[in-house]
């Protein structure tokens, strides 16, 4: 899973394709539960999906820009456009259902 900061965030989400960005923090228990789910999804979707994470504490300005109020928060981008925001812990099935709406 890619780790993004202020410098790499824009170039990653602006690429053609679908990008799922996880805003979390190392101290956050739901974030630690969700991370293996995201790794599974990354492996399942392969080249059709980029999964990345942002440490919301380290990148507070970026979290603020996207109005991240709670952790974890997932942002789904396609071709640089923010399509969906998922706040809180989500199951693998919930996340994949949303991803499937945007992957052709």
């Amino acid at each position: 899973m890619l780790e993004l900061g202020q410098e790499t965030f824009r170039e990653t989400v602006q690429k053609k394709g679908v990008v799922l960005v996880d805003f979390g923090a190392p101290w956050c228990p739901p974030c630690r539960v969700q991370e293996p789910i995201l790794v599974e999804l990354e492996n399942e979707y392969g080249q059709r999906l980029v999964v990345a994470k942002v440490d919301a504490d380290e990148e507070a300005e970026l979290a603020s820009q996207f109005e991240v109020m709670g952790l974890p928060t997932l942002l789904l981008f396609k071709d640089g456009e923010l399509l969906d925001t998922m706040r809180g812990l989500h199951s693998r099935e919930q996340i994949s259902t949303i991803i499937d709406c945007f992957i052709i």
Side-chain angles (χ1 to χ4, degrees), residues 16-18 42-50 103:
K16 188 166 177 64
V18 179
E42 181 178 41
N43 292 332
E44 177 185 334
Y45 285 94
Q47 299 295 327
R48 298 179 299 152
L49 175 70
V50 173
I103 288 185

Side-chain angles (χ1 to χ4, degrees), residues 39-71:
V39 170
E40 283 180 28
L41 291 169
E42 181 178 41
N43 292 332
E44 177 185 334
Y45 285 94
Q47 299 295 327
R48 298 179 299 152
L49 175 70
V50 173
V51 179
K53 65 180 181 176
V54 174
D55 184 326
D57 289 337
E58 298 273 326
E59 300 294 339
E61 185 177 317
L62 198 53
S64 176
Q65 177 183 345
F66 287 97
E67 299 177 358
V68 173
M69 301 298 201
L71 301 177

Side-chain angles (χ1 to χ4, degrees), residues 8 10 13-15 33 39 52 63 66 78 94 97 101:
T8 55
R10 188 172 317 282
V13 300
Q14 294 293 335
K15 290 181 181 174
V33 171
V39 170
F66 287 97
K78 182 170 185 181
Q94 290 170 317
T97 297
C101 292

Side-chain angles (χ1 to χ4, degrees), residues 25-43:
W27 54 264
C28 167
C31 300
R32 291 195 304 262
V33 171
Q34 189 153 274
E35 189 165 339
I37 294 169
L38 299 177
V39 170
E40 283 180 28
L41 291 169
E42 181 178 41
N43 292 332

